[in-house]
């Protein structure tokens, strides 16, 4: 009953005219960004962070806007997957397997409708899970001391991005780069400048928002300049999405199963929506593919991954809000926003600023309703957006980035730093190294160092305090499991690649 009272207070915050307008705007823009191939939720949220600062929104409203953009991007990613066989973002890859065959078979409206409803079911289920499990995790996190938080940060750095199949060595390298960049500035204990090279501009270190906009938005523009992306065309014209009740009823079980699997995957640090959609599709195929229809346009093959990736998006908010540890790349960007607004995520957030937490959760319920309404009758508008050439879109992205960053500090030096991070992000992406661990290092590196120093200070310099509790040992065990899993998946992927090339050569002959 206490949770219902908090949720009612949250709706009182979310249902103000300003927050309703921001939620609706965020859902609409997020769906467009998600539908455009190559952008995705991380870039979508990073691009609009400067806008939130430029409008001088209060913390709760800024978080509502960007969280709705996040959910909108997750909904929109399915559109280009179904219409063009090009996923709007990585989690939408599994939707291509059955969504595009349905579109080719003349069932594009049905595929869009089923995917939209599945996204709604998965997102609502994960938001309900957020209401139920985040307060429980907060009660558990109260037992954490400096040593336990240090172990938690180690787990976050060791697992972010690795479990999805990325190269674990490159992921850890990126995390190391982020940690090094996070040490720039005045040492918090000795007040000695570190790696500032005599520049007073660097005494406060690198602003996380500036780094994020550079790493994502500016690097995306540089990638565009290199590849010269043109017009995305060839989409089948669709006026509105509709589906027969028989198809929806057939897919309902897949939606519910995908929602549960996706939510669990979202809570796991570093797993995220990609793993949620992959597990949901794989297990649904094993469970329901009795007639060998998956991959040929089965509605359940659309419903399961869409429910999975949207449920994972909500699940990733649980550790971010309750522990201050992001569960995905997008929640890492949202974490940067909170820190920049002098809001510290974690157990005390629910106690000290419940209006922000529960206002956000209530706004997510509203956003799901808005997105379902937008994505069924207005899907024709979103499919036409696929024809926007990226060379026409990216200048607006760059303009928003420069204006937004300058509005934060009115410093040209910060614009230079943003461009520098953009070049760094471009180089890392060319080397196939994820920039998300770099962001995580910038965000959590300083707090991780502080927790390590506090723990050693308490023990008089004895490092055994770092493994002196069951919670710490459990976290290190989970870290080891995820690292071994990442190495296993990377090794299996490397072994499978030659076999795939041989198969492709045989088919070509």
């Amino acid at each position: 009953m206490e949770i219902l009272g908090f949720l009612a207070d949250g709706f009182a915050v979310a249902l103000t005219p300003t927050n309703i307008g921001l939620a609706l705007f965020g859902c609409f823009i997020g769906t467009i960004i998600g539908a455009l191939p190559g952008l995705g939720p991380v870039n979508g949220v990073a691009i609009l962070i400067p806008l939130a600062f430029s409008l001088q929104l209060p913390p709760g409203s800024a978080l509502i806007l960007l969280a709705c953009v996040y959910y909108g991007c997750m909904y929109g990613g399915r559109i280009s997957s179904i219409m063009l066989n090009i996923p709007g973002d990585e989690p939408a890859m599994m939707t291509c397997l059955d969504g595009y065959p349905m579109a080719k078979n003349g069932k594009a409206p049905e595929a869009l409708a089923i995917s939209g409803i599945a996204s709604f079911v998965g997102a609502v289920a994960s938001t309900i899970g957020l209401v139920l499990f985040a307060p429980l995790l907060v009660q558990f996190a109260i037992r954490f001391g400096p040593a336990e938080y240090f172990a938690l940060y180690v787990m976050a750095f060791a697992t972010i991005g690795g479990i999805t199949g990325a190269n674990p060595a490159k992921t850890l390298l990126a995390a190391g780069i982020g940690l090094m960049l996070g040490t720039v500035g005045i040492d918090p204990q000795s007040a000695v400048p570190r790696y500032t090279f005599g520049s007073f501009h660097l005494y406060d270190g690198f602003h996380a928002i500036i780094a994020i906009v550079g790493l994502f938005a500016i690097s995306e523009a540089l990638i565009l300049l290199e590849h010269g992306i043109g017009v995305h065309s060839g989409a089948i014209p669709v006026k509105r999405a509709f589906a027969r009740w028989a198809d929806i009823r057939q897919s309902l079980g897949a939606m519910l199963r995908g929602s549960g699997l996706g939510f669990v995957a979202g809570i796991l640090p570093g797993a995220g929506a990609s793993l949620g959609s992959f597990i949901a599709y794989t297990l649904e195929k094993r469970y329901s593919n009795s007639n060998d229809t998956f991959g040929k346009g089965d509605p359940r093959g659309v419903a399961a991954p869409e429910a999975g990736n949207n449920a994972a998006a909500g699940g990733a908010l649980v550790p971010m809000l309750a522990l201050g540890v992001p569960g995905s790349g997008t929640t890492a960007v949202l974490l940067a926003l909170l820190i920049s607004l002098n809001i510290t995520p974690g157990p005390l957030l629910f106690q000290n600023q419940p209006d922000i937490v529960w206002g956000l959760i209530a706004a997510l319920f509203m956003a799901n309703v808005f997105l379902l309404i937008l994505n069924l009758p207005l899907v024709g508008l979103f499919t036409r957006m696929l024809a926007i050439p990226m060379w026409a879109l990216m200048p607006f992205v760059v303009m928003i980035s420069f204006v937004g960053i300058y509005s934060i500090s009115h410093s040209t030096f910060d614009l230079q730093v943003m461009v520098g991070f953009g070049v760094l992000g471009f180089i890392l992406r060319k080397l196939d190294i994820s920039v998300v661990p770099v962001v995580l290092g910038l965000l959590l590196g300083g707090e991780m160092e502080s927790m390590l120093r506090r723990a050693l200070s308490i023990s008089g310099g004895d490092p055994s305090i770092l493994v002196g509790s069951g919670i710490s040992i459990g976290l290190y065990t989970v870290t080891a499991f995820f690292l071994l899993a990442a190495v296993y998946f990377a090794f299996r992927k490397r072994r499978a690649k030659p076999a795939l090339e041989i198969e492709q050569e045989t088919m070509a002959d």
Side-chain angles (χ1 to χ4, degrees):
M1 294 302 293
E2 185 180 12
I3 290 179
L4 294 178
F6 284 130
L7 192 57
D9 294 338
F11 274 106
V13 173
L15 290 175
T16 61
T18 299
N19 288 337
I20 291 175
L22 290 172
L24 189 58
F25 173 76
C27 291
F28 182 77
I29 294 297
T31 304
I32 293 176
I33 293 174
L36 296 172
L39 290 181
V42 179
N43 286 326
V45 174
I47 289 168
L48 289 179
I49 281 181
L51 178 63
F53 277 96
S54 299
L55 296 175
Q56 297 182 345
L57 297 174
S61 298
L63 189 58
I64 287 173
L65 169 64
L66 296 177
C68 290
V69 171
Y70 178 24
Y71 267 36
C73 288
M74 298 306 298
Y75 271 72
R78 78 196 204 284
I79 297 175
S80 56
S81 298
I82 293 171
M83 305 304 294
L84 300 174
N85 201 29
I86 303 174
D89 53 11
E90 187 178 344
M93 288 190 300
M94 305 306 294
T95 307
C96 295
L97 299 179
D98 281 277
Y100 187 64
M102 286 185 70
K104 288 175 62 178
N105 294 334
K107 295 184 177 181
E110 290 89 340
L112 290 168
I114 290 172
S115 63
I117 295 171
S119 299
F120 174 77
V121 171
V124 169
S126 69
T127 308
I128 294 173
L130 177 62
V131 171
L132 298 177
F133 288 100
L136 295 178
L137 191 57
V138 166
Q139 295 299 321
F140 175 71
I142 292 176
R143 305 176 184 177
F144 280 39
E148 287 77 16
Y149 268 109
F150 177 78
L152 182 66
Y153 292 141
V154 170
M155 184 180 72
F157 284 113
T159 58
I160 188 73
I163 193 65
T164 59
N167 188 316
K170 290 183 177 180
T171 301
L172 294 177
L173 173 62
I177 293 173
L179 285 171
M180 288 190 294
L181 293 173
T183 61
V184 174
I186 298 292
D187 184 286
Q189 290 193 1
S190 64
V192 174
R194 301 186 297 189
Y195 310 112
T196 60
F197 303 101
S199 173
F200 291 103
H201 294 289
L202 294 177
Y203 273 30
D204 291 330
F206 293 113
H207 197 294
I209 298 299
I210 297 171
I212 285 172
V213 174
L215 288 170
F216 290 104
I218 303 302
S219 69
E220 190 69 34
L222 295 175
I223 292 289
L224 169 68
L225 289 175
E226 181 190 24
H227 294 289
I229 301 175
V231 178
H232 299 295
S233 59
I236 304 169
V238 175
K239 293 183 178 179
R240 62 177 181 174
F242 63 88
R244 298 178 302 167
W245 169 245
D247 291 333
I248 298 175
R249 183 177 59 187
Q250 179 190 13
S251 306
L252 188 59
M255 296 178 192
L256 296 176
R257 288 186 289 270
S259 299
L261 293 169
F263 181 74
V264 174
I267 293 178
L268 298 175
S274 299
L275 182 65
S277 63
F278 175 78
I279 290 179
Y281 182 86
T282 302
L283 295 185
E284 189 62 32
K285 183 177 180 180
R286 292 182 181 180
Y287 178 80
S288 304
N289 195 26
S290 57
N291 298 324
D292 195 28
T293 55
F294 274 63
K296 302 175 182 177
D298 193 309
R300 294 169 295 182
V302 174
E306 279 304 307
N309 68 43
N310 281 273
L317 291 171
V318 174
M320 191 272 281
L321 292 173
L323 299 175
V325 174
S328 66
T330 312
T331 52
V333 177
L334 292 174
L335 177 65
L337 171 70
L338 289 176
I339 294 174
S340 299
L341 294 171
N342 295 320
I343 298 173
T344 304
L348 295 181
L349 178 62
F350 283 75
Q351 177 180 339
N352 297 337
Q353 295 172 300
D355 55 324
I356 291 179
V357 177
W358 293 103
L360 169 65
I361 294 174
L364 293 179
F365 280 111
M366 289 191 330
N368 288 317
V369 176
F370 291 159
L371 285 165
L372 183 64
I373 295 173
L374 289 173
N375 277 268
L376 293 182
L378 297 182
V379 74
L381 172 64
F382 296 129
T383 55
R384 283 194 291 272
M385 291 290 178
L386 298 177
I388 295 179
M390 295 298 289
W391 59 262
L393 179 67
M394 289 308 295
F396 288 99
V397 171
V398 174
M399 180 189 70
I400 291 174
S401 300
F402 273 83
V403 173
I405 292 302
Y406 187 76
S407 68
I408 294 175
S409 61
H410 301 285
S411 170
T412 56
F413 179 80
D414 287 344
L415 297 180
Q416 297 172 16
V417 171
M418 179 186 69
V419 174
F421 272 103
V423 174
L424 174 63
F426 173 77
I427 295 172
L428 292 177
R429 292 171 67 174
K430 291 296 293 180
L431 297 174
D432 196 26
I433 299 176
S434 173
V435 298
V436 172
V438 179
V439 174
L440 200 65
L442 276 169
L443 291 176
L444 302 182
E447 190 66 18
M448 182 181 182
E449 178 187 8
S450 175
M451 290 298 174
L452 175 61
R453 286 180 166 182
R454 288 174 58 187
L456 294 177
S457 177
I458 292 172
S459 66
D462 184 3
S464 64
I465 190 176
L466 300 178
V467 290
S469 69
I471 295 176
S472 297
I473 294 173
L475 291 172
Y476 287 127
T477 303
V478 173
T479 301
F481 170 78
F482 277 116
L483 283 176
L484 292 174
V487 172
Y488 168 75
F489 284 126
F491 179 73
R492 190 178 70 172
K493 183 178 180 180
R494 185 174 299 176
R495 289 188 60 186
K497 188 175 182 180
L500 179 61
E501 292 175 352
I502 294 173
E503 183 180 348
Q504 290 175 343
E505 292 176 359
T506 303
M507 292 177 64
D509 295 337

